[in-house]
Amino acid sequence: MIVYGSVVSPFVRKLLGYLGEKGLSFELKGVGIGDPDPGFRAASPLGKMPAMDDGGFLLADSSAIIQYLEAKHPEPPLIPADPQQRGQVIWWEEFADTVFALCSGKMFFNRIVAPKFLGREGDLAAAALAESEELPKLLDYLEGAIPASGFLVGDRLTLADLAVASPLMNFRHCGTVVDPAVHPKIAAWSEAILSRPSMAPWIEKEERMMAKVLAA
Ligand SMILES: N[C@@H](CCC(=O)N[C@@H](CS)C(=O)NCC(=O)O)C(=O)O
């Protein structure tokens, strides 16, 4: 299976963690925004990452790919069968992929992607507004919702944990780190999720990449 994407995308990061937890082997083909790679363009009609080629079956969108893989490889389940837990997992994935990723995107895109990757100025006012107005409310909600189990849904890892922890890396690249004094549950939970063997090697790779990009 080929996965197209960049390790700094929250949607790609979620998928990479998912693949690792599932023990599925794949090749990551690095592509950037607007990448002309023919395999990527064929797999991703809208040119967005991630996209996948599984033996000729082409699919785009992290959620679509994960639903496909979960049906194809049910064990270990990362989307629970229990109706309530399944609903909660999909809620968290939706939270992560919409408001949380949008907020991180406003900061990450305008402060890093636009100037460093696309060679143009970002909208720094939009980034500042996302950080000051949107992020605190989202973090406060998350802080209040993390259960004592240390996992967002039930008492074991699900897609919810991978999805919601992923955009935190984009905040971190912007220099916005969760303050354990303000959000102690997020700090402990995200540290546990992001340091899992499914995530840690990718995060080391992206941190090396970001260090070079930010130094340039
Ligand atoms: N809902 C999609 C979102 C994918 C997405 O927006 N990816 C961004 C990178 S983080 C992208 O490829 N943007 C390029 C563009 O919009 O042209 C998913 O879950 O895969």
Side-chain angles (χ1 to χ4, degrees), residues 6 8-12 14 32-34 40-41 44 46-51 60-65 93 97 101 105 108-109 170:
S6 162
V8 297
S9 157
F11 308 102
V12 174
K14 171 182 69 168
I33 287 181
F40 171 57
R41 302 308 292 201
S44 183
L46 302 179
K48 290 179 189 276
M49 63 182 82
D61 189 283
S62 60
S63 302
I65 295 168
E93 190 188 19
D97 288 0
F108 187 70
F109 182 86
N170 296 82

Side-chain angles (χ1 to χ4, degrees), residues 114-197:
K116 298 288 186 182
F117 291 95
L118 304 179
R120 59 179 163 89
E121 267 184 35
D123 183 345
L124 295 180
L129 202 63
E131 182 166 22
S132 64
E133 295 298 314
E134 296 177 27
L135 184 57
K137 290 177 200 148
L138 296 172
L139 291 180
D140 287 349
Y141 164 64
L142 181 57
E143 179 71 15
I146 296 176
S149 68
F151 298 102
L152 286 177
V153 178
D155 57 2
R156 62 184 178 79
L157 183 94
T158 66
L159 173 60
D161 300 295
L162 303 173
V164 180
S166 179
L168 287 173
M169 281 307 302
N170 296 82
F171 292 118
R172 200 187 286 183
H173 292 318
C174 296
T176 304
V177 180
V178 174
D179 182 350
V182 181
H183 297 114
K185 288 201 279 176
I186 303 178
W189 161 82
S190 62
E191 177 57 30
I193 302 303
L194 295 172
S195 61
R196 289 178 73 88

Side-chain angles (χ1 to χ4, degrees), residues 5-8 13 16 28-30 169 173 199-213:
S6 162
V7 287
V8 297
R13 194 183 298 110
L16 295 175
L28 177 66
K29 272 205 174 174
M169 281 307 302
H173 292 318
M199 300 286 263
W202 297 112
I203 285 170
E204 280 165 26
K205 186 180 158 119
E206 71 175 292
E207 279 179 333
R208 282 196 301 274
M209 179 180 151
M210 288 309 301
K212 276 191 203 152
V213 165

